[in-house]
Amino acid sequence: MPQKIKIHAVTNAPKSACAGMFGDAFKIKIGAQAIDGKANAELVKFLAKKFGVSKNGVRICAGETSRDKLVEIDSDADAGKILLGGE
């Protein structure tokens, strides 16, 4: 069953990684620039790998041009455990 999670993206990081929480959103550092959709593509790739789903299993529902995004992932795994270091 798909789940939606809030993401606060920080682009231009040395590598993609979860950096804790930012309010009620997961703060994700993205190892790409926010130019021509590169950061969104890297975010999708990063989340797909973390959740063990294909890139088609990750969709940006809202916030394509914003730091604050709503992302749908085709996984029912606990996002907190996966992104904050539990798995």
Side-chain angles (χ1 to χ4, degrees):
M1 183 164 135
Q3 65 176 315
K4 292 185 179 179
I5 60 173
K6 292 180 181 180
I7 301 289
H8 180 78
V10 179
T11 59
N12 244 3
K15 67 177 188 171
S16 296
C18 188
M21 298 296 293
F22 185 84
D24 63 345
F26 293 99
K27 183 177 179 181
I28 307 287
K29 293 182 180 180
I30 306 297
Q33 293 181 336
I35 298 173
D36 297 330
K38 291 178 184 175
N40 284 339
E42 178 63 24
L43 174 63
V44 167
K45 179 180 162 186
F46 173 76
L47 292 174
K49 184 175 180 183
K50 282 295 232 184
F51 281 87
V53 299
S54 71
K55 287 190 269 184
N56 290 336
V58 179
R59 291 169 295 287
I60 299 174
C61 301
E64 288 223 6
T65 60
S66 171
R67 288 178 183 253
D68 298 311
K69 303 177 184 301
L70 183 63
V71 178
E72 184 176 65
I73 301 172
D74 290 339
S75 173
D76 54 2
D78 185 341
K81 286 184 180 177
I82 290 174
L83 293 175
L84 299 177
E87 289 182 10

